[in-house]
């Protein structure tokens, strides 16, 4: 635990995520998620200067959208949904495939190997397109009638279930392969010889070794879900549902039911050429979150590597001693100049 | 050799049926209810339609057209972009790995940091930057790098854009594998014998690592496929995946998925065979 606090990557990554989540929750409880609106800007004499949307320079720090709603506040409100969903879906994926993978990798090694061909098929279909086809019927508002077929809660549950389910086959094979690899190791043979039952070996030897790998896969899954959400958002399929307002004159309008980030991006992506900051700000926040999860991932990898390499500390000490002897213990009589030169050269 | 052919054949058939089963997956849900009967029905009708694939049609506006052979144009376009981008990514990543290998320690550190930073960029971010960049460039020089609205098929820019992220991922993988390999005693032995370090890298280290690079990089193809889809969607490219998106009928989805699957499978198999061949020769030496 102490060494975890000393790893800067892990700490920074966690801190950014915690900050975003914390401010989002604070905003929810203190301000009830009300977004401030600036639709007109006046100068000191009260003359109208400009109308929304405003650039980040006019309304710091991130500007406003078409209707004058401040982007920063929208981002903060959306953070808890986006990060929350990513965590929820990733942990559900992990929980299900961990159970299936650990059991499958222990008891059904043969059957899994023969089914892996089918799972391989997942690699040849863009997963965001598959999700789009499954989800579009439920999440998209019927443009003509202006109603959803299902309630808000139903839509959310359905989307979470689908987003979880699409990754289950691949993660399960991944985890069962990892389990299988540990079963093949030498010390398992030893445990078997000493009379450990399969369940005993699984709980006492396999699972502890599986732990660190699980954390790494979990963090990778979070990034995976975030990118999937981003893609679906771009395809105008927003989390919790899409308000669809067909308008042949001004162009169809799509709006997100929740103010989740992918919705902010998808509904404003067409503004990219002229009001670049409106979609770019939420995209940058996506980058920030993915980056901090990547930081956590890298930090955690370093941490586990360090733990396995702890034995080398003795080695390091002798190296230190050597250096001390090198520098000050002796010097060459009458050749001090040369020795000086060498020292500087070696530096 | 014959064993290998049988194994690859089995892999192909299993994945083929897997794609077939996945393709009908949207039929499993009517609204929100699970509907296994509907799934089976859809699967059956899709298979029937695929057997008579010459009669398949797609609608565009109010007209309906023959799916074959016009779908093959879309397929070739997508596949050419995908494979060229992947090959380009491989060579760029390889080149940069070599440069990193030759450069001093502190530059190596910076290379790694930059690669780590950029790895977090999702494809949508890259596409947004490119779009802004193209417009900015047009405003400055009056030269349009990429005509997004054009109907004819463009190649250079999509290939370049699509290769960015796979190149970064491959670079990270290669660096990781390389770092472990360089520590091995045979590299040290070769160095003490006075073998040129470029030769060590190109001949020995590369051959020994290509197989594990292959295993790590399999998923990159899938990743690039997702990227290709988003790129076709954002830039209005006339590729197969956007075609699937615009014609959301079950038979077109399954047929297109199968058409995509076959060349990618062949590509991966060739990659695997080449990697195995290279690794084996090294083992014999």
């Amino acid at each position: 635990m102490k060494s975890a606090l000393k790893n800067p990557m892990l700490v920074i990554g966690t801190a950014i995520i915690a900050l975003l989540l914390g401010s989002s929750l604070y905003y929810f409880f203190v301000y009830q998620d009300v977004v401030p609106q600036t639709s007109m800007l006046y100068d000191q004499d009260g003359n109208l200067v400009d109308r929304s949307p405003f650039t980040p320079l006019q309304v710091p720090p991130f500007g406003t959208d078409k209707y004058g709603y401040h982007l920063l506040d929208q981002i903060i409100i959306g953070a808890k949904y986006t990060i929350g969903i990513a965590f929820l879906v990733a942990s559900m994926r992990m929980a299900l495939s961990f159970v299936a993978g650990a059991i499958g990798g222990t008891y059904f090694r043969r059957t899994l190997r023969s089914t892996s061909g089918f799972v391989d098929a997942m690699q040849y279909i863009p997963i965001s397109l598959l999700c789009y086809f499954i989800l579009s019927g439920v999440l998209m508002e019927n443009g003509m009638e202006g109603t959803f077929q299902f309630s808000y809660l139903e839509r959310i549950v359905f989307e979470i279930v689908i987003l979880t389910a699409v990754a289950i086959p691949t993660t399960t094979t991944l985890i069962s392969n990892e389990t299988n690899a540990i079963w093949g190791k030498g010390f398992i043979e030893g445990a078997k010889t000493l009379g450990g039952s399969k369940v005993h070996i699984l709980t006492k030897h396999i699972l502890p070794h599986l732990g660190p790998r699980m954390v790494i896969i979990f963090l990778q899954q979070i990034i995976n879900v975030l990118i999937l959400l981003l893609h679906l958002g771009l395809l105008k399929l927003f989390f919790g549902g899409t308000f669809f307002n067909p308008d042949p004159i001004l162009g169809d309008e799509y709006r997100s039911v929740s103010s989740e980030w992918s919705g902010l991006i998808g509904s404003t992506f067409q503004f990219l050429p002229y009001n670049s900051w409106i979609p770019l700000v939420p995209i940058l926040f996506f980058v920030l979150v993915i980056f901090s999860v990547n930081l956590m991932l890298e930090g955690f990898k370093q941490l586990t590597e360090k733990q396995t390499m702890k034995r080398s500390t003795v080695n390091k000490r002798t190296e230190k001693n050597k250096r001390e002897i090198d520098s000050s213990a002796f010097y060459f009589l009458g050749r001090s100049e040369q020795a000086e030169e060498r020292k500087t050269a070696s530096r | 050799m014959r064993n290998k052919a049988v194994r690859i054949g089995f892999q192909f058939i299993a994945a083929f049926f897997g794609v077939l089963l996945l393709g009908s997956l949207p039929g499993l849900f009517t609204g929100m209810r699970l509907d296994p009967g509907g799934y089976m029905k859809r699967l059956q009708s899709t298979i029937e339609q695929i057997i008579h694939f010459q009669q398949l049609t797609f609608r565009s506006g109010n007209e309906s057209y023959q799916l074959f052979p016009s779908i093959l144009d879309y397929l070739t376009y997508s596949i050419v972009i995908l494979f060229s981008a992947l090959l380009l990514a491989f060579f760029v990543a390889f080149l940069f790995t070599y440069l990193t290998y030759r450069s001093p320690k502190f530059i190596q550190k910076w290379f790694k940091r930059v690669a780590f930073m950029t790895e977090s960029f999702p494809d949508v971010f890259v596409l947004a930057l490119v779009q802004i960049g193209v417009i900015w460039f047009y405003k400055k020089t009056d030269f349009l790098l990429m005509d997004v609205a054009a109907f004819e098929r463009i190649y250079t820019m999509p290939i370049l854009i699509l290769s960015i992220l796979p190149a970064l991922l491959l670079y990270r993988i290669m660096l990781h594998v390389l770092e472990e390999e360089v520590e091995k005693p045979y590299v040290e032995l070769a160095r003490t014998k006075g073998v040129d370090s470029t030769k060590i890298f190109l001949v020995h280290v590369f051959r020994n690592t290509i197989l594990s690079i292959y295993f790590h990089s399999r998923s990159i193809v899938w990743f690039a496929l997702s990227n290709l889809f988003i790129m076709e969607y954002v830039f209005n490219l006339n590729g197969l995946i956007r075609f699937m998106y615009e014609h959301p009928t079950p038979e077109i989805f399954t047929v297109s998925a199968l058409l995509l699957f076959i060349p990618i499978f062949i590509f991966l198999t060739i990659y695997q065979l080449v990697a195995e061949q290279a690794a084996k020769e090294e083992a014999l030496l």
Side-chain angles (χ1 to χ4, degrees), chain B residues 177 181 186 203-212 278-279 282-283:
Chain B
V177 176
E181 193 69 18
Y186 78 89
V203 179
H204 302 284
V205 173
F206 179 61
R207 270 191 199 168
N208 281 350
T209 50
I210 179 95
L211 209 56
S212 70
E282 174 61 19

Side-chain angles (χ1 to χ4, degrees), chain A residues 342-347:
Chain A
R342 222 186 260 164
K343 242 192 212 168
T344 46
S346 69
R347 264 175 211 163

